[in-house]
Structure formats: structure tokens, C-alpha cells
Amino acid sequence: MSPKRFTPAVLGVLLIPEDPEQLLDLSEAGLTTSSRMYWEHAKKLGGIEDGKASKTVHLPRSNLFDVGGLQGIMQVIGEGGQW
């Protein structure tokens, strides 16, 4: 990651069901999805080795991007912390 970066970079991976018909459900109660998203700060992932075209990364299950996770991120930022 560039030391000149002002805005933190984040990798987000969205896992979706194999059957696209199961991805979204729209009803009177609302719109729901059966997908999940996990995230990680790019600076924790490290770089790609010289001569390599890609890298396998592992995202912690604790970094689930859901309502609770988003509220936690917003609370840290709101209290002046580094997210």
C-alpha cells in the first residue's frame, strides 16, 4: 500500500449463492438477500510478490459486513478512532 494514501483502502468480498434466483427476495416485508460480505483493510493484506500476478488472501469471519459490523465501524469513526 502506498504511504501517500490518504483514504484507507478496503477489500470487500461478496459471497453470493450459486443459484441467482436465491440472491434476492422482495416482499411486502422488505428486500432481503442471502449473500454475505466480508472485508479487511488492504494494509493488513500485504503486497503481491514480485513476479506474481495474484495473491490469495484470507478474510476473518469476524469482519462480516452486517448491521452490527457497520454500526461498530461508524462508532469507531464517530469517536475519532482510526478505522
Side-chain angles (χ1 to χ4, degrees):
M1 189 169 105
S2 171
K4 296 179 181 179
R5 179 177 285 280
F6 179 74
T7 304
V10 176
L11 172 67
V13 176
L14 181 65
L15 304 176
I16 58 173
E18 286 188 38
D19 180 3
E21 295 292 323
Q22 296 178 352
L23 178 60
L24 296 174
D25 181 45
L26 178 61
S27 69
E28 294 269 337
L31 177 65
T32 57
T33 180
S34 58
S35 62
R36 297 177 313 281
M37 179 178 269
Y38 296 94
W39 63 271
E40 184 58 275
H41 293 280
K43 65 183 177 185
K44 292 184 178 180
L45 299 174
I48 297 175
E49 294 178 27
D50 289 340
K52 300 265 181 153
S54 64
K55 176 181 179 171
T56 300
V57 298
H58 300 276
L59 305 179
R61 287 188 167 274
S62 59
N63 287 2
L64 178 63
F65 193 79
D66 61 359
V67 173
L70 180 57
Q71 287 174 333
I73 291 167
M74 292 171 61
Q75 182 175 357
V76 168
I77 293 170
E79 293 173 354
Q82 293 291 319
W83 178 72

